[in-house]
Amino acid sequence: MKKHRSGPGIGRRTGTAQIEGLPVSKNDEVVVDIIGMSHEGEGVGRADGYTLFVQGALPGEKVRVKVLKTKKQYGYAKLLELVESSPYRVAPPCPIYDKCGGCQLQHMDYTAQLQWKRQLVVDNLERIGKLQVEDGAEGIVVHPTIGMDEPWRYRNKAQVPMGIVDGGLVGGFYARGSHRIVDMESCLIQHEHNDDVVRRVKDIGRRLGITAYDEESGQGLLRHVVVKVGFRTGEMMIVLVTNGERIPQVDAWISAIREEMPKVVSICQNINTKQTNVIFGDTTKVLWGREVIYDYIGDVKFAISARSFYQVNPVQTELLYSKTVEYAALTGKETVIDAYCGIGTISLFLAQHAKQVYGVEIVPEAIEDAKANAELNGMSNVHFETGASEDVIPRWREEGIVPGVIVVDPPRKGCDPKLLDTILAMQPERVVYVSCNPATLARDLRVLEDGGYRTVEVQPVDMFPHTVHVECVVLMSRIEK
């Protein structure tokens, strides 16, 4: 580590609220080697053994940084200069990449991103799950991450916060680490149609003098514009999230949207008057057109409503679900339970290959959507129920439902401990775990391993290129006693 004295006071101990014994202080400028990357995409540097997290630095680089904040075990620093650059560094194509927090890895070559995501999964399995990843014949196989041929413009849903800047309506993104809205005309990971619709809706809103919601005062009307597009069908939905029921000049707004955007088949309003950063309120109504748009994943057709959860990258979702079906190894005779079924996306994929599928989900609206989607596809071998899986599945067991396979696709916090106990009590031949968080995945796999299951293989899938997120499909099989 080198300290730089490039100006008066830089690199010196200031003596104010410093932690004793640390090799660096706030405002020091030092040169550090970046030895890794955190799960949030920050470079991990070492300064005389002390860890510094550096936004924008890549493993293998030597960088000059300014220390921003120090804690006992680690600190944060700002990248000032690349002394030695990584061969995997690329110029981010997005002009506002450094201001926006939406992507974290655009400055890293895409192939290197995929390798890093696999390593992130491996590290979590080994460190948190205490699992042995294959280093020869023994251990778990973690396959290379499945990436995209074209890792841009993949998102089918835009959720754009609205605000006022210099008296005019703007909409874009929150500046990194803040709630200050920066106006944006184009996002390189959004479907082009979403960008176009958001831009036109903002223009119409400005013409009609629509006010934007102000978080601090709680005044103003328009909070968010949400746009959804069906990749296969081309159908589009606009949801105007408003702070109050009445929209001034609503007919003029609807007419302008219909005239300028013929692919829009649904215009909805969601009312959210709470002082919260949650996007949607409880009430949604159709202003014009249909209540849903339609899209396909593989051969399965889905109705997507204003608030229904639907995977945002349909191209990779098809790969993710195909791998889930492959790991389930269905012959057409099995009973399968889908423990976090949502609107039935995985359940309906499985139902094409299974005798019977049971899906459970805690959100009542999602179950209504799941039933409608089963009907839409003429699938009678699926049954959906509302409730917590750890409550519903034991009741199914009492009713004589014995699954050969249980599939789980939990939220980021992972599986409820009671559900894991339920799986171990049910003893299915195989468990297929679909995960969006390698840390909670590793924790849950450890519990299932201790209960008599073996983790066979793991397939990471890149659902969100240029971000730090990675999804996995994991096959576990019961160890025969």
Side-chain angles (χ1 to χ4, degrees):
M1 175 192 79
K2 290 181 190 159
K3 288 199 177 177
H4 284 254
R5 312 275 184 196
S6 53
I10 290 178
R12 294 195 192 118
R13 301 279 186 272
T14 61
T16 57
Q18 298 296 353
I19 300 168
E20 286 298 316
L22 294 186
V24 295
S25 299
K26 186 178 176 181
N27 294 329
D28 278 358
E29 289 187 14
V30 295
V31 174
V32 295
D33 292 314
I34 302 298
I35 56 165
M37 202 155 73
S38 76
H39 67 279
E40 292 181 346
E42 299 162 313
V44 180
R46 288 275 194 270
D48 288 349
Y50 179 72
T51 300
L52 285 172
F53 293 108
V54 185
Q55 186 80 48
L58 292 175
E61 293 186 326
K62 192 184 283 286
V63 294
R64 186 165 68 86
V65 302
K66 181 177 182 176
V67 179
L68 300 175
K69 187 177 182 181
T70 56
K71 296 189 173 187
K72 220 168 192 176
Q73 305 293 335
Y74 60 90
Y76 296 92
K78 180 183 179 182
L79 177 62
L80 297 177
E81 180 193 356
L82 290 169
V83 180
E84 289 174 19
S85 188
S86 163
Y88 300 116
R89 179 173 284 279
V90 294
C94 176
I96 51 174
Y97 173 60
D98 58 336
K99 300 183 189 75
C100 173
C103 297
Q104 301 84 34
L105 303 178
Q106 277 193 26
H107 60 299
M108 189 183 209
D109 172 75
Y110 186 57
T111 304
Q113 289 182 33
L114 298 178
Q115 291 167 348
W116 175 75
K117 289 185 181 191
R118 179 190 179 273
Q119 193 57 47
L120 183 68
V121 173
V122 170
D123 292 346
N124 277 280
L125 294 179
E126 292 181 335
R127 188 169 47 83
I128 296 171
K130 303 290 184 281
L131 298 165
Q132 185 186 344
V133 174
E134 186 183 43
D135 208 13
E138 295 296 315
I140 302 159
V141 179
V142 179
H143 297 286
T145 309
I146 298 174
M148 297 188 75
D149 294 335
E150 185 49 58
W152 300 100
R153 298 292 186 184
Y154 57 81
R155 285 185 64 94
N156 59 14
K157 180 175 76 170
Q159 300 183 144
V160 180
M162 308 306 287
I164 296 284
V165 172
D166 299 329
L169 187 72
V170 298
F173 63 91
Y174 293 119
R176 200 188 292 271
S178 81
H179 264 219
R180 182 172 57 82
I181 293 172
V182 178
D183 201 26
M184 174 180 64
E185 293 297 300
S186 174
C187 171
L188 297 180
I189 61 172
Q190 278 293 351
H191 193 290
E192 291 97 328
H193 290 167
N194 287 354
D195 273 349
D196 182 53
V197 167
V198 170
R199 188 164 52 244
R200 288 169 183 269
V201 169
K202 283 192 294 190
D203 288 344
I204 296 165
R206 285 178 194 131
R207 291 203 305 268
L208 297 175
I210 300 295
T211 59
Y213 176 69
D214 179 275
E215 273 189 2
E216 288 184 13
S217 69
Q219 300 300 305
L221 180 70
L222 191 60
R223 295 176 75 125
H224 278 80
V225 173
V226 178
V227 183
K228 300 186 178 192
V229 59
F231 266 44
R232 292 259 287 278
T233 62
E235 294 181 351
M236 301 195 73
M237 170 186 281
I238 295 173
V239 188
L240 305 172
V241 183
T242 58
N243 176 40
E245 199 162 335
R246 190 179 154 273
I247 300 178
Q249 303 190 67
V250 66
D251 292 339
W253 208 348
I254 290 167
S255 298
I257 288 171
R258 289 179 61 190
E259 191 178 316
E260 293 185 29
M261 294 164 263
K263 286 187 182 295
V264 174
V265 298
S266 169
I267 304 172
C268 297
Q269 177 189 10
N270 175 268
I271 300 156
N272 183 2
T273 54
K274 295 176 183 166
Q275 286 201 294
T276 171
N277 58 5
V278 174
I279 292 174
F280 285 117
D282 296 332
T283 306
T284 306
K285 57 185 186 181
V286 178
L287 297 176
W288 173 83
R290 297 204 309 250
E291 197 174 336
V292 296
I293 60 170
Y294 295 103
D295 202 15
Y296 288 85
I297 300 175
D299 298 326
V300 185
K301 188 177 185 181
F302 291 97
I304 304 153
S305 62
R307 291 182 61 193
S308 63
F309 174 78
Y310 184 71
Q311 289 280 10
V312 299
N313 185 338
V315 175
Q316 293 296 86
T317 298
E318 192 167 339
L319 292 169
L320 185 80
Y321 291 177
S322 297
K323 187 56 71 171
T324 304
V325 170
E326 180 192 319
Y327 282 178
L330 302 173
T331 63
K333 298 174 184 171
E334 293 84 359
T335 296
V336 183
I337 289 178
D338 180 3
Y340 293 88
C341 70
I343 66 166
T345 41
I346 290 179
S347 301
L348 299 183
F349 248 65
L350 295 164
Q352 297 174 100
H353 309 275
K355 181 182 176 186
Q356 182 72 38
V357 176
Y358 292 85
V360 57
E361 168 64 54
I362 204 157
V363 181
E365 295 87 352
I367 287 294
E368 291 310 308
D369 285 345
K371 289 175 179 175
N373 285 325
E375 200 173 315
L376 190 63
N377 290 278
M379 293 184 182
S380 56
N381 61 333
V382 280
H383 170 81
F384 293 110
E385 274 191 46
T386 305
S389 24
E390 58 273 15
D391 298 331
V392 173
I393 295 172
R395 177 166 55 73
W396 283 345
R397 186 187 183 200
E398 285 169 15
E399 292 168 8
I401 295 163
V402 182
V405 182
I406 292 181
V407 175
V408 295
D409 182 9
R412 289 191 64 76
K413 66 181 181 182
C415 291
D416 186 285
K418 287 194 214 151
L419 174 61
L420 296 175
D421 291 342
T422 302
I423 292 171
L424 294 176
M426 299 282 270
Q427 289 283 295
E429 274 179 59
R430 287 180 296 288
V431 176
V432 182
Y433 194 133
V434 182
S435 163
C436 60
N437 184 343
T440 54
L441 168 68
R443 178 201 69 200
D444 292 348
L445 293 186
R446 179 72 267 157
V447 174
L448 293 171
E449 287 244 347
D450 291 343
Y453 282 81
R454 181 173 67 88
T455 306
V456 181
E457 54 186 307
V458 180
Q459 177 60 70
V461 179
D462 190 23
M463 299 285 285
F464 307 100
H466 313 296
T467 78
V468 291
H469 300 294
V470 59
E471 302 246 345
C472 293
V473 188
V474 183
L475 170 60
M476 301 193 83
S477 63
R478 189 178 68 212
I479 297 167
E480 298 300 336
K481 294 190 173 64

